[in-house]
Coordinates of all heavy atoms in Angstrom, one line a residue:
M1 N 4.1 10.1 -2.4 CA 4.0 9.5 -3.7 C 2.9 8.5 -3.6 O 2.8 7.7 -2.7 CB 5.4 8.9 -4.1 CG 5.5 8.4 -5.5 SD 7.2 8.0 -5.9 CE 7.9 9.6 -6.0
Q2 N 2.1 8.3 -4.7 CA 1.0 7.5 -4.7 C 1.3 6.1 -5.4 O 1.9 6.2 -6.5 CB -0.2 8.2 -5.4 CG -1.5 7.5 -5.3 CD -2.3 7.9 -4.1 OE1 -1.7 8.5 -3.1 NE2 -3.5 7.6 -4.1
V3 N 1.0 5.0 -4.8 CA 1.1 3.7 -5.4 C -0.3 3.4 -6.0 O -1.2 3.1 -5.3 CB 1.5 2.6 -4.4 CG1 1.6 1.3 -5.0 CG2 2.9 3.0 -3.8
E4 N -0.3 3.4 -7.4 CA -1.6 3.2 -8.0 C -1.5 2.1 -9.1 O -2.5 1.9 -9.9 CB -2.1 4.5 -8.7 CG -2.4 5.6 -7.7 CD -2.9 6.8 -8.3 OE1 -2.7 7.0 -9.5 OE2 -3.6 7.6 -7.6
S5 N -0.4 1.4 -9.1 CA -0.3 0.3 -10.1 C 0.6 -0.8 -9.5 O 1.3 -0.7 -8.6 CB 0.4 0.8 -11.4 OG 1.8 1.2 -11.1
V6 N 0.4 -2.0 -10.2 CA 1.2 -3.2 -9.8 C 2.7 -2.8 -10.0 O 3.5 -3.2 -9.2 CB 0.8 -4.4 -10.6 CG1 1.8 -5.6 -10.3 CG2 -0.6 -4.8 -10.2
S7 N 3.0 -2.1 -11.0 CA 4.4 -1.7 -11.3 C 5.0 -0.9 -10.2 O 6.1 -1.1 -9.7 CB 4.5 -1.0 -12.6 OG 5.8 -0.6 -12.9
A8 N 4.2 0.1 -9.7 CA 4.7 0.9 -8.6 C 4.9 0.1 -7.3 O 5.8 0.3 -6.6 CB 3.7 2.0 -8.3
A9 N 3.9 -0.9 -7.1 CA 4.1 -1.7 -5.9 C 5.3 -2.6 -6.0 O 6.1 -2.7 -5.0 CB 2.8 -2.6 -5.7
T10 N 5.6 -3.2 -7.1 CA 6.7 -4.0 -7.3 C 8.0 -3.3 -7.3 O 9.1 -3.9 -7.0 CB 6.6 -4.9 -8.5 OG1 6.5 -4.1 -9.7 CG2 5.5 -5.9 -8.5
N11 N 8.0 -2.0 -7.6 CA 9.2 -1.2 -7.6 C 9.3 -0.1 -6.5 O 10.0 0.9 -6.6 CB 9.3 -0.5 -9.0 CG 9.6 -1.5 -10.1 OD1 10.6 -2.1 -10.2 ND2 8.6 -1.6 -11.0
A12 N 8.6 -0.4 -5.4 CA 8.5 0.6 -4.4 C 9.9 0.9 -3.8 O 10.2 2.1 -3.5 CB 7.6 0.1 -3.2
R13 N 10.7 0.0 -3.7 CA 12.1 0.2 -3.2 C 12.8 1.3 -4.1 O 13.5 2.1 -3.6 CB 12.9 -1.1 -3.2 CG 14.3 -1.0 -2.6 CD 14.2 -0.6 -1.1 NE 15.5 -0.5 -0.6 CZ 15.8 -0.8 0.6 NH1 14.9 -1.2 1.5 NH2 17.0 -0.6 1.1
K14 N 12.6 1.2 -5.4 CA 13.2 2.2 -6.3 C 12.6 3.6 -6.2 O 13.2 4.6 -6.4 CB 13.1 1.7 -7.8 CG 13.8 0.5 -8.1 CD 13.6 0.0 -9.5 CE 14.3 -1.3 -9.8 NZ 14.0 -1.8 -11.1
L15 N 11.4 3.6 -5.7 CA 10.7 4.9 -5.5 C 11.1 5.6 -4.2 O 10.9 6.8 -4.0 CB 9.2 4.7 -5.5 CG 8.5 4.2 -6.8 CD1 7.1 3.9 -6.5 CD2 8.8 5.1 -7.9
A16 N 11.7 4.8 -3.3 CA 12.0 5.3 -2.0 C 13.4 6.1 -2.0 O 14.4 5.7 -1.4 CB 12.1 4.2 -1.0
K17 N 13.4 7.1 -2.8 CA 14.7 7.9 -2.9 C 14.7 9.0 -1.9 O 13.7 9.4 -1.3 CB 14.7 8.5 -4.3 CG 14.7 7.5 -5.4 CD 14.8 8.1 -6.8 CE 14.8 7.1 -7.9 NZ 16.0 6.3 -8.0
P18 N 15.9 9.6 -1.7 CA 16.0 10.8 -0.8 C 14.9 11.8 -1.2 O 14.8 12.2 -2.3 CB 17.4 11.3 -1.0 CG 18.2 10.0 -1.5 CD 17.2 9.3 -2.3
G19 N 14.2 12.3 -0.2 CA 13.2 13.3 -0.4 C 11.8 12.8 -0.4 O 10.8 13.5 -0.3
V20 N 11.7 11.5 -0.6 CA 10.4 10.8 -0.6 C 10.1 10.4 0.9 O 10.8 9.6 1.4 CB 10.3 9.6 -1.5 CG1 9.0 8.8 -1.4 CG2 10.6 10.0 -2.9
D21 N 9.1 11.0 1.5 CA 8.8 10.7 2.9 C 7.8 9.6 3.1 O 7.7 9.0 4.1 CB 8.2 12.0 3.5 CG 9.2 13.1 3.6 OD1 10.4 12.9 3.8 OD2 8.8 14.3 3.4
C22 N 6.9 9.4 2.1 CA 5.8 8.5 2.3 C 5.3 7.9 0.9 O 5.2 8.7 -0.1 CB 4.7 9.2 3.0 SG 3.2 8.2 3.4
L23 N 5.0 6.7 0.9 CA 4.3 6.1 -0.2 C 2.9 5.8 0.2 O 2.7 5.2 1.3 CB 4.9 4.8 -0.7 CG 6.3 4.9 -1.3 CD1 6.8 3.6 -1.8 CD2 6.4 5.9 -2.5
S24 N 1.9 6.3 -0.5 CA 0.5 6.1 -0.1 C -0.2 5.3 -1.2 O 0.1 5.4 -2.4 CB -0.1 7.5 0.0 OG -1.5 7.5 0.2
F25 N -1.2 4.6 -0.8 CA -1.9 3.7 -1.7 C -3.2 4.4 -2.3 O -3.9 5.1 -1.6 CB -2.3 2.4 -1.1 CG -1.2 1.5 -1.0 CD1 -0.3 1.5 0.0 CD2 -1.0 0.5 -2.0 CE1 0.8 0.7 0.1 CE2 0.1 -0.3 -2.0 CZ 1.0 -0.3 -0.9
G26 N -3.4 4.2 -3.6 CA -4.6 4.6 -4.3 C -5.3 3.3 -4.6 O -5.1 2.7 -5.7
P27 N -6.1 2.8 -3.6 CA -6.6 1.4 -3.8 C -7.6 1.2 -5.0 O -7.6 0.2 -5.6 CB -7.4 1.1 -2.5 CG -7.4 2.4 -1.7 CD -6.4 3.3 -2.3
A28 N -8.3 2.2 -5.4 CA -9.2 2.1 -6.5 C -8.4 1.9 -7.8 O -8.6 0.9 -8.6 CB -10.2 3.3 -6.6
D29 N -7.5 2.8 -8.1 CA -6.7 2.7 -9.3 C -5.8 1.4 -9.2 O -5.6 0.8 -10.3 CB -5.8 3.9 -9.4 CG -6.6 5.1 -9.8 OD1 -7.6 5.0 -10.5 OD2 -6.1 6.3 -9.5
L30 N -5.3 1.1 -8.1 CA -4.5 -0.1 -7.9 C -5.3 -1.4 -8.3 O -4.8 -2.3 -8.9 CB -3.9 -0.2 -6.5 CG -3.0 -1.4 -6.2 CD1 -1.9 -1.6 -7.2 CD2 -2.5 -1.3 -4.8
T31 N -6.5 -1.4 -7.9 CA -7.4 -2.5 -8.2 C -7.6 -2.7 -9.7 O -7.5 -3.8 -10.2 CB -8.8 -2.4 -7.5 OG1 -8.6 -2.3 -6.1 CG2 -9.7 -3.5 -7.9
F32 N -7.7 -1.6 -10.4 CA -7.8 -1.7 -11.9 C -6.5 -2.2 -12.5 O -6.5 -3.0 -13.4 CB -8.1 -0.3 -12.5 CG -9.5 0.2 -12.2 CD1 -9.6 1.5 -11.7 CD2 -10.6 -0.5 -12.4 CE1 -10.9 2.0 -11.4 CE2 -11.9 0.0 -12.1 CZ -12.0 1.2 -11.6
S33 N -5.4 -1.8 -11.9 CA -4.1 -2.3 -12.4 C -4.0 -3.8 -12.1 O -3.5 -4.5 -13.0 CB -3.0 -1.5 -11.8 OG -1.7 -2.0 -12.2
I34 N -4.3 -4.2 -10.9 CA -4.3 -5.7 -10.6 C -5.1 -6.5 -11.6 O -4.7 -7.5 -12.0 CB -4.7 -5.9 -9.1 CG1 -3.7 -5.3 -8.2 CG2 -5.0 -7.4 -8.8 CD1 -4.2 -5.2 -6.7
E35 N -6.3 -6.0 -11.9 CA -7.1 -6.7 -12.9 C -6.5 -6.8 -14.2 O -6.8 -7.7 -15.0 CB -8.5 -6.0 -13.0 CG -9.3 -6.1 -11.7 CD -10.5 -5.3 -11.6 OE1 -10.8 -4.5 -12.6 OE2 -11.3 -5.4 -10.6
S36 N -5.6 -5.9 -14.6 CA -4.9 -5.9 -15.9 C -3.8 -7.0 -15.9 O -3.2 -7.2 -17.0 CB -4.3 -4.6 -16.2 OG -5.4 -3.6 -16.3
Y37 N -3.4 -7.5 -14.7 CA -2.3 -8.4 -14.6 C -2.8 -9.7 -13.9 O -2.3 -9.9 -12.8 CB -1.1 -7.8 -13.9 CG -0.5 -6.7 -14.6 CD1 -0.9 -5.3 -14.3 CD2 0.5 -6.9 -15.5 CE1 -0.3 -4.3 -15.0 CE2 1.1 -5.8 -16.2 CZ 0.7 -4.5 -15.9 OH 1.3 -3.5 -16.6
P38 N -3.7 -10.5 -14.5 CA -4.3 -11.6 -13.8 C -3.3 -12.7 -13.4 O -3.6 -13.5 -12.5 CB -5.3 -12.1 -14.8 CG -4.8 -11.7 -16.1 CD -4.1 -10.4 -15.9
H39 N -2.1 -12.7 -14.0 CA -1.1 -13.8 -13.6 C 0.0 -13.3 -12.7 O 0.9 -14.0 -12.5 CB -0.6 -14.4 -14.9 CG -1.7 -14.9 -15.8 ND1 -2.5 -16.0 -15.5 CD2 -2.1 -14.5 -17.0 CE1 -3.3 -16.3 -16.4 NE2 -3.2 -15.4 -17.4
H40 N -0.1 -12.0 -12.3 CA 0.9 -11.5 -11.4 C 0.8 -12.1 -10.0 O -0.2 -12.5 -9.6 CB 0.8 -10.0 -11.3 CG 2.0 -9.3 -10.8 ND1 2.4 -9.2 -9.5 CD2 3.0 -8.6 -11.5 CE1 3.5 -8.5 -9.4 NE2 3.9 -8.2 -10.6
S41 N 2.0 -12.2 -9.3 CA 1.9 -12.8 -8.0 C 1.2 -11.9 -7.0 O 0.7 -12.4 -6.0 CB 3.4 -13.0 -7.5 OG 4.1 -11.8 -7.4
L42 N 1.1 -10.6 -7.2 CA 0.3 -9.7 -6.3 C -1.1 -9.6 -6.9 O -1.4 -9.0 -7.9 CB 1.0 -8.3 -6.3 CG 2.4 -8.2 -5.9 CD1 3.0 -6.8 -6.0 CD2 2.6 -8.7 -4.4
K43 N -2.0 -10.3 -6.2 CA -3.3 -10.5 -6.7 C -4.4 -9.6 -6.0 O -5.5 -9.5 -6.5 CB -3.8 -12.0 -6.4 CG -2.8 -13.0 -7.0 CD -3.5 -13.7 -8.1 CE -2.6 -14.8 -8.7 NZ -2.3 -14.5 -10.0
T44 N -4.0 -9.0 -4.9 CA -5.0 -8.1 -4.2 C -4.2 -6.8 -3.7 O -3.0 -6.8 -3.7 CB -5.5 -8.8 -2.9 OG1 -4.5 -9.0 -2.0 CG2 -6.2 -10.1 -3.2
V45 N -5.0 -5.8 -3.3 CA -4.5 -4.6 -2.7 C -3.7 -5.0 -1.5 O -2.6 -4.5 -1.3 CB -5.5 -3.6 -2.5 CG1 -5.0 -2.4 -1.7 CG2 -6.2 -3.1 -3.8
D46 N -4.2 -5.9 -0.7 CA -3.5 -6.3 0.6 C -2.1 -6.9 0.2 O -1.1 -6.7 0.9 CB -4.3 -7.2 1.4 CG -5.4 -6.5 2.2 OD1 -5.5 -5.2 2.1 OD2 -6.1 -7.1 2.9
D47 N -2.1 -7.7 -0.8 CA -0.8 -8.3 -1.3 C 0.2 -7.2 -1.6 O 1.4 -7.3 -1.2 CB -1.0 -9.2 -2.5 CG -1.7 -10.5 -2.3 OD1 -1.8 -10.9 -1.1 OD2 -2.1 -11.1 -3.3
C48 N -0.3 -6.2 -2.3 CA 0.6 -5.0 -2.7 C 1.0 -4.3 -1.4 O 2.2 -3.8 -1.3 CB -0.2 -4.1 -3.6 SG -0.5 -4.8 -5.3
V49 N 0.1 -4.0 -0.5 CA 0.5 -3.3 0.8 C 1.6 -4.1 1.5 O 2.6 -3.5 1.9 CB -0.7 -3.1 1.7 CG1 -0.3 -2.6 3.0 CG2 -1.8 -2.2 1.0
R50 N 1.4 -5.4 1.6 CA 2.4 -6.2 2.3 C 3.8 -6.1 1.6 O 4.8 -6.0 2.2 CB 2.0 -7.7 2.4 CG 1.2 -8.1 3.5 CD 0.9 -9.6 3.6 NE -0.4 -9.8 4.2 CZ -1.5 -9.9 3.5 NH1 -1.5 -9.8 2.2 NH2 -2.6 -10.1 4.1
H51 N 3.7 -6.3 0.3 CA 4.9 -6.2 -0.5 C 5.7 -4.9 -0.4 O 6.9 -4.9 -0.2 CB 4.6 -6.5 -2.0 CG 5.8 -6.6 -2.9 ND1 6.6 -7.7 -2.9 CD2 6.3 -5.8 -3.8 CE1 7.6 -7.6 -3.8 NE2 7.4 -6.4 -4.3
V52 N 4.9 -3.8 -0.5 CA 5.6 -2.5 -0.3 C 6.1 -2.3 1.1 O 7.3 -1.9 1.3 CB 4.6 -1.4 -0.6 CG1 5.1 0.0 -0.2 CG2 4.2 -1.4 -2.1
C53 N 5.4 -2.7 2.1 CA 5.9 -2.6 3.5 C 7.2 -3.4 3.7 O 8.1 -3.0 4.3 CB 4.8 -3.0 4.5 SG 3.5 -1.9 4.6
D54 N 7.2 -4.6 3.1 CA 8.4 -5.5 3.2 C 9.6 -4.8 2.5 O 10.7 -4.8 3.0 CB 8.2 -6.8 2.6 CG 7.2 -7.7 3.4 OD1 7.0 -7.4 4.5 OD2 6.8 -8.7 2.8
Q55 N 9.4 -4.2 1.3 CA 10.4 -3.5 0.6 C 11.0 -2.3 1.3 O 12.2 -2.0 1.2 CB 9.9 -3.1 -0.8 CG 9.7 -4.1 -1.8 CD 9.4 -3.5 -3.1 OE1 10.2 -3.0 -3.8 NE2 8.1 -3.6 -3.4
L56 N 10.1 -1.6 2.1 CA 10.5 -0.4 2.7 C 10.8 -0.5 4.2 O 11.1 0.4 4.9 CB 9.4 0.7 2.6 CG 9.1 1.0 1.1 CD1 8.0 2.1 1.1 CD2 10.3 1.4 0.3
A57 N 10.8 -1.8 4.7 CA 11.0 -2.0 6.2 C 12.3 -1.4 6.7 O 12.3 -1.0 7.9 CB 10.9 -3.5 6.4
D58 N 13.3 -1.4 6.0 CA 14.6 -0.9 6.5 C 14.9 0.5 6.0 O 16.1 1.0 6.0 CB 15.7 -1.8 6.2 CG 16.0 -2.0 4.7 OD1 15.1 -1.5 3.9 OD2 17.0 -2.5 4.3
T59 N 13.9 1.3 5.6 CA 14.0 2.7 5.2 C 13.3 3.6 6.1 O 12.5 3.1 7.0 CB 13.5 2.9 3.7 OG1 12.0 2.8 3.8 CG2 14.0 1.8 2.8
D60 N 13.4 4.9 5.9 CA 12.7 5.9 6.7 C 11.4 6.3 6.0 O 10.7 7.2 6.4 CB 13.6 7.1 6.9 CG 14.7 6.8 7.9 OD1 14.5 5.9 8.7 OD2 15.8 7.4 7.7
V61 N 11.1 5.7 4.9 CA 9.9 6.0 4.1 C 8.7 5.4 4.7 O 8.6 4.2 4.9 CB 10.0 5.6 2.6 CG1 8.8 5.9 1.8 CG2 11.2 6.3 2.0
A62 N 7.7 6.2 5.1 CA 6.4 5.7 5.7 C 5.5 5.1 4.6 O 5.6 5.5 3.4 CB 5.7 6.9 6.4
V63 N 4.6 4.3 5.0 CA 3.6 3.7 4.2 C 2.3 4.1 4.7 O 2.0 3.9 5.9 CB 3.7 2.2 4.1 CG1 2.6 1.6 3.2 CG2 5.1 1.7 3.5
C64 N 1.5 4.7 3.8 CA 0.1 5.2 4.2 C -0.9 4.4 3.5 O -0.8 4.1 2.3 CB 0.0 6.7 3.7 SG -1.6 7.4 4.1
Y65 N -2.0 4.1 4.2 CA -3.1 3.4 3.6 C -4.4 4.0 4.1 O -4.6 4.3 5.2 CB -3.1 1.9 4.0 CG -4.1 1.1 3.3 CD1 -3.9 0.8 1.9 CD2 -5.2 0.6 3.9 CE1 -4.9 0.1 1.2 CE2 -6.1 -0.1 3.2 CZ -6.0 -0.3 1.8 OH -6.9 -1.1 1.1
R66 N -5.4 4.1 3.1 CA -6.7 4.5 3.4 C -7.6 3.4 3.9 O -8.3 2.7 3.2 CB -7.4 5.1 2.2 CG -6.8 6.4 1.7 CD -7.5 6.8 0.4 NE -6.9 8.0 -0.2 CZ -5.8 8.0 -1.0 NH1 -5.2 6.9 -1.3 NH2 -5.3 9.1 -1.4
N67 N -7.4 3.1 5.2 CA -8.1 1.9 5.8 C -9.6 2.3 6.1 O -10.4 1.4 6.3 CB -7.4 1.4 7.0 CG -7.2 2.4 8.1 OD1 -6.8 3.5 7.8 ND2 -7.6 2.1 9.3
G68 N -9.9 3.5 6.0 CA -11.3 3.9 6.2 C -11.9 4.0 7.6 O -12.4 5.0 8.0
T69 N -11.8 2.9 8.3 CA -12.3 2.8 9.6 C -11.3 2.2 10.6 O -10.4 1.4 10.2 CB -13.6 1.9 9.7 OG1 -13.2 0.6 9.3 CG2 -14.7 2.4 8.8
P70 N -11.4 2.7 11.9 CA -10.4 2.2 12.9 C -10.3 0.7 13.1 O -9.3 0.2 13.5 CB -10.8 2.9 14.1 CG -11.7 4.1 13.7 CD -12.3 3.6 12.4
D71 N -11.4 0.0 12.8 CA -11.4 -1.4 13.1 C -10.4 -2.2 12.2 O -10.1 -3.4 12.5 CB -12.8 -2.0 12.9 CG -13.4 -1.8 11.5 OD1 -13.3 -0.7 11.0 OD2 -14.0 -2.8 11.0
T72 N -9.9 -1.6 11.1 CA -9.0 -2.3 10.3 C -7.5 -1.8 10.5 O -6.6 -2.3 9.9 CB -9.3 -2.2 8.8 OG1 -9.3 -0.8 8.4 CG2 -10.6 -2.9 8.4
R73 N -7.4 -0.9 11.4 CA -6.1 -0.3 11.6 C -5.0 -1.3 12.0 O -3.9 -1.4 11.5 CB -6.2 0.8 12.7 CG -4.9 1.6 12.9 CD -5.0 2.6 14.0 NE -6.1 3.4 13.8 CZ -6.9 3.9 14.9 NH1 -6.6 3.5 16.1 NH2 -7.9 4.6 14.6
E74 N -5.4 -2.2 13.0 CA -4.4 -3.2 13.5 C -3.9 -4.1 12.4 O -2.8 -4.5 12.3 CB -5.1 -4.0 14.6 CG -4.2 -5.0 15.2 CD -3.1 -4.4 16.1 OE1 -3.2 -3.2 16.5 OE2 -2.0 -5.0 16.2
K75 N -4.9 -4.5 11.5 CA -4.5 -5.4 10.4 C -3.4 -4.8 9.5 O -2.4 -5.5 9.2 CB -5.7 -5.7 9.5 CG -5.5 -6.4 8.2 CD -6.7 -6.4 7.4 CE -6.5 -6.9 6.0 NZ -7.7 -6.9 5.1
Y76 N -3.6 -3.5 9.2 CA -2.6 -2.9 8.3 C -1.3 -2.5 9.1 O -0.2 -2.5 8.6 CB -3.2 -1.7 7.6 CG -4.2 -2.2 6.6 CD1 -5.6 -2.1 6.8 CD2 -3.8 -2.7 5.4 CE1 -6.5 -2.6 5.9 CE2 -4.7 -3.2 4.5 CZ -6.0 -3.2 4.7 OH -6.9 -3.7 3.8
A77 N -1.4 -2.2 10.4 CA -0.3 -1.9 11.2 C 0.6 -3.2 11.3 O 1.9 -3.1 11.2 CB -0.7 -1.5 12.6
E78 N 0.0 -4.3 11.4 CA 0.8 -5.6 11.4 C 1.5 -5.8 10.1 O 2.6 -6.5 10.0 CB -0.1 -6.7 11.7 CG -0.6 -6.8 13.2 CD -1.5 -7.9 13.5 OE1 -1.8 -8.7 12.6 OE2 -2.0 -7.9 14.6
M79 N 1.0 -5.3 9.0 CA 1.7 -5.4 7.7 C 2.9 -4.4 7.6 O 3.7 -4.6 6.8 CB 0.7 -5.1 6.5 CG -0.4 -6.1 6.3 SD -1.4 -5.6 4.9 CE -2.8 -6.6 5.1
G80 N 2.8 -3.4 8.4 CA 3.9 -2.4 8.4 C 3.5 -1.0 8.0 O 4.3 -0.1 7.9
V81 N 2.2 -0.8 7.8 CA 1.6 0.6 7.5 C 1.8 1.4 8.8 O 1.6 1.0 9.9 CB 0.2 0.5 7.1 CG1 -0.4 1.9 7.0 CG2 0.0 -0.3 5.8
T82 N 2.3 2.7 8.6 CA 2.5 3.6 9.7 C 1.6 4.8 9.7 O 1.6 5.6 10.7 CB 4.0 4.0 9.8 OG1 4.4 4.5 8.5 CG2 4.9 2.7 10.1
V83 N 1.0 5.1 8.5 CA 0.1 6.3 8.4 C -1.2 5.8 7.9 O -1.3 5.1 7.0 CB 0.7 7.3 7.4 CG1 -0.2 8.5 7.3 CG2 2.1 7.7 7.9
F84 N -2.3 6.2 8.6 CA -3.6 5.7 8.3 C -4.5 6.9 8.0 O -4.5 7.9 8.6 CB -4.2 5.0 9.5 CG -3.4 3.8 9.9 CD1 -2.4 3.9 10.9 CD2 -3.6 2.6 9.3 CE1 -1.6 2.8 11.2 CE2 -2.8 1.5 9.6 CZ -1.8 1.6 10.6
L85 N -5.4 6.7 7.0 CA -6.4 7.7 6.6 C -7.7 7.1 6.9 O -8.1 6.1 6.3 CB -6.3 8.1 5.1 CG -5.0 8.8 4.7 CD1 -5.0 9.0 3.2 CD2 -4.8 10.1 5.5
E86 N -8.4 7.6 7.9 CA -9.7 7.1 8.4 C -10.7 8.2 8.4 O -10.4 9.3 8.5 CB -9.5 6.5 9.8 CG -8.5 5.4 9.9 CD -8.2 4.9 11.3 OE1 -8.8 5.6 12.3 OE2 -7.5 4.0 11.5
G87 N -12.0 7.7 8.2 CA -13.1 8.7 8.2 C -13.4 9.0 9.7 O -12.9 8.4 10.6
P88 N -14.3 9.9 9.9 CA -14.7 10.3 11.2 C -15.4 9.1 11.9 O -16.1 8.3 11.3 CB -15.6 11.5 11.1 CG -16.1 11.4 9.6 CD -15.0 10.7 8.9
R89 N -15.3 9.1 13.2 CA -16.0 8.0 14.0 C -17.5 8.4 14.0 O -17.8 9.6 14.1 CB -15.5 8.0 15.4 CG -14.1 7.4 15.4 CD -13.6 7.2 16.8 NE -12.2 6.8 16.8 CZ -11.7 5.8 17.5 NH1 -12.5 5.2 18.4 NH2 -10.5 5.5 17.4
R90 N -18.3 7.4 14.0 CA -19.7 7.7 14.0 C -20.3 7.3 15.3 O -19.9 6.5 16.0 CB -20.4 6.9 12.9 CG -19.9 7.3 11.5 CD -20.5 6.5 10.5 NE -19.8 6.8 9.2 CZ -20.4 6.7 8.0 NH1 -21.5 6.2 7.9 NH2 -19.7 7.1 7.0

């Protein structure tokens, strides 16, 4: 299931129903949603990633993030991301 809005990020726990194996981020669409809610407490994609990881910490639902390059893997792993989408090494 794709997290592409502030609403999806804030309600991730509700999305983690039986049969849902993974919540994945759509950072471009999520950025547009964040811009639509300038007064929301989640101000960045990273804020949303942290929030979703916190909500799902005690579940079996994985969190996937398109970190792009291996050099950012540790940063997102520390937030709780367990599945990474990275481009090929150059």
Side-chain angles (χ1 to χ4, degrees):
M1 189 171 288
Q2 191 89 341
V3 177
E4 295 182 337
S5 68
V6 172
S7 179
T10 57
N11 291 294
R13 183 65 181 214
K14 293 177 185 176
L15 299 174
K17 297 184 181 286
V20 174
D21 297 321
C22 183
L23 293 184
S24 177
F25 281 84
D29 289 331
L30 180 55
T31 298
F32 292 128
S33 179
I34 291 167
E35 291 170 357
S36 298
Y37 296 93
H39 303 294
H40 198 282
S41 61
L42 301 176
K43 304 244 181 251
T44 66
V45 171
D46 282 359
D47 289 345
C48 292
V49 171
R50 273 188 212 90
H51 186 74
V52 169
C53 288
D54 289 347
Q55 288 185 75
L56 302 182
D58 64 345
T59 72
D60 292 328
V61 178
V63 177
C64 177
Y65 188 71
R66 290 177 184 87
N67 57 312
T69 61
D71 60 315
T72 59
R73 186 183 310 143
E74 185 68 26
K75 170 186 171 181
Y76 291 101
E78 287 177 5
M79 290 182 196
V81 173
T82 54
V83 179
F84 301 93
L85 298 176
E86 299 173 354
R89 291 184 186 227
R90 297 176 189 206

